[in-house]
Amino acid sequence: LSVQRNDEDLDYGPTVIVEHHPEDGPVFATLYGHLDGEVLDRLVPGAAIAAGDLIGRFGERTENGGWPPHLHFQVYLDRFGDSGNLAGVASPARRAVWTAVSPDPAVLLGLDSCAAREPSSEELLRERRAHFCSSMSISYARPIQMVKGRGTTLFDAEGRAFLDAVNNVPHVGHCHPRVVAAGRRQMALLNTNTRYLGEALVRYAEKLRAKLPDHLEVIYFVSSGSEANEVALRLASAATDGATDMLVQEHGYHGHTGNTVSRSHYKFAGKGGFSAPSDVHVVPLADPTRGIHRGPDSGQKYVAEVQAALDRLAAEGKRPRGILAEAIIGCGGQVVPPNGYLKGAFDAVRAAGGVAIADEVQVGFGRVGTHFWAFEEQGARPDIVTMGKPIGNGHPMAAVATTARIAEQFAGGMEFFATFGGNNVSAAIGEAVLDVIDDEGLMENARRVGAHFFERMAPIAKRFPFIADVRGRGLYLGVDLVEDKESLAPDRAAAQYVAGRMRDKGILISTDGPHENVLKIKPPIIFTLAEMDRLVSALEEIFGESPFQQS
């Protein structure tokens, strides 16, 4: 019997190692962890014990004096002469070795094999393909089975940790304890719809409204960014006496519902898409790097493209319903429009009788670092703002904000009601997200860490000729990869290679853009300087690998 009092070890606590000497087999050891210290105090290291002797109780004592089934039990066929510090876990790379040394203990406990408790990634993939549509995408050629998230880290079924640099939905970090606690408390108390009075909803609405420009006074709560944009389109129609013609951005994306797909050029002009509806008018992507007008001073040229579309409508005797625009175009390749574009486009549409809708579903809530909303960074004044994704840190909720005048025009008799929009749990979670952003200084963190990214990437972009552009704001970033800087021919294969190799290094990024040649980096806004250093260093290493040198 060996007794270890490693109370500082958060994994096992005090442990007991029993060396077994069976009459008809080899000597082996078993390790027991998470044991009651009072029992351990009565054990003498080196003593012989008999079958049936009490050596400990598993777990911590509960309030009523019971003992919960919380334990660590492990078998060792060979201790390699070590009496302590025995490995309780192993990396995936060493799994084959350690399962030979420390086999599945289920047979001794009379349980089913531990290895069979969770399906393999291959089995899950087969089940997924059997029960879901083939058009539902999945990341990576070798899909990852994620089982846990914490902060900026995701863990797969093999215990591997991945630095998450692409999930902009868990805005303040995976499973943030304050957000989780707020949802748990409210879920245990009450969760119902907005037809009842509730202080929490009013309090949250006021906190959210305080983050918006003063002229946006009225909030509508819904359940997704797609639903938010649907409501925004209805508001715009009411504000323009039923006008239907919308201006939308080239490569813009606004949702998966019928009306939002029809106003998302990224969707209807892409694979499996359709011709643009007659009342949808696409204006060129205001891309200063590879657009039809280039350079930092091209903003007014793109505004002129918007004005030309408005003039064509006027010539047909039509009034625009409005423009639906992302302040930073995500599916366009993390494109930040040139100075003056968004403000000029919004002003031109408003002057023509339409309304300006800012889609902040991807880039809102402090992600750009300098401002809470990306449209603010560009000096634009929207009439309607839509929000989703980061608003609930992964909880399905969204919102629309507009002016009192437009809200009054929308209130024409038909009731507005969204079953889950603004429910008590969503209000509690949304408020917690806002509080965390403020209390932890996360908008400033996004600015500081994003600036560090550009500082680190500047010499790298000069060193490697296939990097055409490093762009973005705060922690919404993109790296444009090309075959050569003269032609700007997009290099999709290179982007796919980098994303795959980053996965190999335990860092998750993705690709985006019309040609899928832009590396997409949009981590939770708790991302640290050290984590950004790790990410950039990994990119630099990969850029120096042979596939790039050969090209």
Side-chain angles (χ1 to χ4, degrees):
L1 176 68
S2 172
V3 180
Q4 296 177 298
R5 181 163 288 286
N6 51 335
D7 300 77
E8 298 300 320
D9 189 333
L10 298 179
D11 195 20
Y12 298 137
T15 59
V16 166
I17 300 171
V18 177
E19 190 171 86
H20 299 261
H21 294 264
E23 295 180 359
D24 56 351
V27 174
F28 68 95
T30 53
L31 179 145
Y32 303 80
H34 300 301
L35 295 167
D36 172 26
E38 296 178 9
V39 176
L40 285 172
D41 289 340
R42 298 195 294 270
L43 296 175
V44 179
I49 56 175
D53 285 354
L54 178 65
I55 61 171
R57 297 186 179 91
F58 291 108
E60 298 178 356
R61 188 183 294 273
T62 61
E63 292 181 359
N64 62 6
W67 299 93
H70 180 54
L71 60 89
H72 181 97
F73 176 67
Q74 195 165 350
V75 176
Y76 291 89
L77 302 184
D78 195 328
R79 290 164 59 191
F80 302 105
D82 199 346
S83 62
N85 299 318
L86 297 178
V89 296
S91 68
R94 298 178 178 178
R95 182 173 182 173
V97 173
W98 276 105
T99 52
V101 175
S102 182
D104 187 346
V107 64
L108 292 180
L109 300 175
L111 301 174
D112 293 334
S113 173
C114 299
R117 289 178 183 172
E118 290 189 1
S120 68
S121 295
E122 292 76 15
E123 290 170 329
L124 284 178
L125 186 57
R126 284 196 299 270
E127 289 294 309
R128 177 186 172 109
R129 288 171 174 167
H131 299 297
F132 298 102
C133 66
S134 59
S135 59
M136 191 169 76
S137 63
I138 191 167
S139 296
Y140 304 106
R142 291 177 292 122
I144 308 172
Q145 182 183 348
M146 293 300 185
V147 297
K148 181 180 178 182
R150 188 72 170 183
T152 57
T153 306
L154 288 170
F155 300 89
D156 74 359
E158 298 292 331
R160 288 171 293 200
F162 293 87
L163 180 63
D164 186 358
V166 75
N167 265 298
N168 65 331
V169 177
H171 194 57
V172 298
H174 292 277
C175 303
H176 193 290
R178 285 181 64 181
V179 178
V180 171
R184 181 186 292 122
R185 282 195 304 269
Q186 186 59 50
M187 192 175 293
L189 181 64
L190 174 68
N191 190 25
T192 188
N193 60 59
T194 54
R195 286 196 172 107
Y196 303 98
L197 295 178
E199 179 187 0
L201 178 61
V202 174
R203 184 175 63 244
Y204 171 52
E206 180 55 33
K207 282 189 176 183
L208 183 59
R209 197 207 62 77
K211 295 292 186 184
L212 291 155
D214 290 342
H215 70 285
L216 299 173
E217 303 174 80
V218 180
I219 306 287
Y220 299 83
F221 288 112
V222 289
S223 303
S224 71
S226 297
E227 191 180 354
N229 280 321
E230 285 275 358
V231 172
L233 291 170
R234 291 178 59 196
L235 289 168
S237 182
T240 55
D241 297 322
T244 61
D245 289 270
M246 286 294 301
L247 273 62
V248 300
Q249 295 166 308
E250 184 183 17
H251 305 304
Y253 174 59
H254 306 287
H256 65 85
T257 57
N259 281 324
T260 56
V261 167
S262 296
R263 283 147 187 86
S264 298
H265 179 264
Y266 164 73
K267 285 292 188 183
F268 67 72
K271 184 178 180 181
F274 46 84
S275 299
S278 59
D279 59 356
V280 172
H281 310 276
V282 181
V283 296
L285 175 64
D287 184 349
T289 299
R290 62 170 69 249
I292 60 172
H293 307 295
R294 299 181 183 180
D297 299 324
S298 59
Q300 290 309 310
K301 294 179 180 178
Y302 283 109
V303 173
E305 299 287 345
V306 172
Q307 187 61 57
L310 294 170
D311 291 344
R312 288 191 292 271
L313 282 176
E316 297 174 10
K318 295 179 180 179
R319 175 188 183 186
R321 180 171 16 169
I323 184 171
L324 178 56
E326 300 168 86
I328 302 176
I329 304 90
C331 292
Q334 319 296 94
V335 174
V336 180
N339 292 336
Y341 168 71
L342 196 67
K343 179 180 185 303
F346 281 8
D347 290 347
V349 170
R350 199 160 26 240
V355 299
I357 305 171
D359 182 333
E360 291 277 325
V361 171
Q362 294 248 29
V363 293
F365 292 87
R367 177 165 290 277
V368 297
T370 54
H371 298 77
F372 205 78
W373 310 103
F375 67 78
E376 292 178 309
E377 194 263 344
Q378 298 179 37
R381 179 187 172 91
D383 302 294
I384 302 169
V385 176
T386 60
M387 305 157 237
K389 293 187 188 294
I391 190 173
N393 209 54
H395 180 76
M397 58 184 294
V400 184
T402 192
T403 66
R405 181 186 66 83
I406 291 177
E408 184 60 32
Q409 290 172 304
F410 182 62
M414 182 185 292
E415 178 194 24
F416 173 80
F417 180 70
T419 301
F420 300 108
N423 69 78
N424 312 85
V425 173
S426 295
I429 288 173
E431 183 178 8
V433 171
L434 291 179
D435 290 344
V436 169
I437 293 171
D438 288 344
D439 295 347
E440 298 185 11
L442 295 184
M443 189 169 83
E444 168 59 19
N445 183 70
R447 185 204 64 77
R448 184 167 54 96
V449 178
H452 186 64
F453 171 81
F454 284 104
E455 290 172 5
R456 286 287 315 274
M457 285 298 298
I460 296 173
K462 290 181 179 179
R463 177 183 165 195
F464 296 107
F466 46 79
I467 300 177
D469 192 25
V470 179
R471 55 177 174 256
R473 292 287 188 273
L475 287 175
Y476 199 72
L477 305 163
V479 180
D480 191 322
L481 302 185
V482 295
E483 294 177 5
D484 65 83
K485 289 186 179 180
E486 293 300 319
S487 69
L488 291 181
D491 197 335
R492 179 183 181 276
Q496 295 293 321
Y497 176 83
V498 173
R501 288 288 292 121
M502 290 289 278
R503 176 202 189 281
D504 295 340
K505 291 178 178 289
I507 303 172
L508 303 180
I509 64 171
S510 187
T511 60
D512 216 333
H515 310 288
E516 297 183 36
N517 68 304
V518 179
L519 302 178
K520 178 167 59 176
I521 301 165
K522 46 175 189 168
I525 63 171
I526 60 171
F527 215 64
T528 65
L529 290 172
E531 289 168 336
M532 186 59 80
D533 276 330
R534 178 186 167 192
L535 182 148
V536 175
S537 295
L539 284 176
E540 186 174 19
E541 289 176 8
I542 294 167
F543 289 152
E545 292 178 354
S546 57
F548 291 98
Q549 304 311 310
Q550 292 170 2
S551 62

